[in-house]
Every structure is written in C-alpha cells, then in structure tokens.
Amino acid sequence: MTFAYDEAIEFLAGGMTPEELLGFKPSPAASERFEELVGKEKSEGLLPEEHEELERTMEIERVLTQAKARARARLALPEK
C-alpha cells in the first residue's frame, strides 16, 4: 500500500530546489488511497489506524502547501 505521507517525507528528506518542490505531486496510488479513505470516512467510518493515516496525510498536505508557498516567494525574490 502506498501512503502519501511516506512519499512526501522521502521527497523532503532527499532535498530539492524550489522548482522541484513546486512540481511535487503524490503518486496516483497515494492519491487513490487518500480518496478511498475520505470516501470511507464519509460513508461508513474509519478504523483507528485508517483515521491516523488520513490525519497524517492531511497534515503533510498542509506542510507541503506552506512549503510550496515559501518556495514561490523565494522564486519571486530578485537575485542579489
């Protein structure tokens, strides 16, 4: 099973340029798993470990959103 959280951590741990950060997207498998968890949460509820997985995925998405905003700001700054 592919977890978006784990993919993002591996990506961040590898270091990257602002451009690479802005281009990062979860794999199709990780995106599919996220959608599966959201759908299951709405329809029947999640097991505790699934709820934790969903929470971790949403947290890393928040971190990536903030990191991408900072990367955009860095790219907009004039070179010195």
Side-chain angles (χ1 to χ4, degrees):
M1 186 176 328
T2 302
F3 300 111
Y5 180 87
D6 294 327
E7 284 183 1
I9 293 299
E10 284 298 317
F11 175 75
L12 292 171
M16 82 266 354
T17 65
E19 293 85 0
E20 289 169 330
L21 174 60
L22 291 171
F24 176 78
K25 292 185 346 183
S27 68
S31 295
E32 184 178 312
R33 176 65 177 161
F34 176 75
E35 293 300 324
E36 176 186 318
L37 290 170
V38 170
K40 185 175 178 186
E41 180 183 46
K42 290 178 181 177
S43 65
E44 61 192 83
L46 298 172
L47 298 171
E49 60 269 13
E50 292 171 324
H51 179 74
E52 181 180 335
E53 179 186 346
L54 180 58
E55 288 294 316
R56 286 175 34 163
T57 301
M58 291 187 321
E59 179 63 24
I60 200 67
E61 181 60 33
R62 288 188 287 271
V63 168
L64 285 170
T65 297
Q66 290 297 314
K68 286 181 177 188
R70 290 184 187 190
R72 280 187 207 92
R74 284 186 181 161
L75 289 173
L77 293 175
E79 294 286 328
K80 290 185 177 185

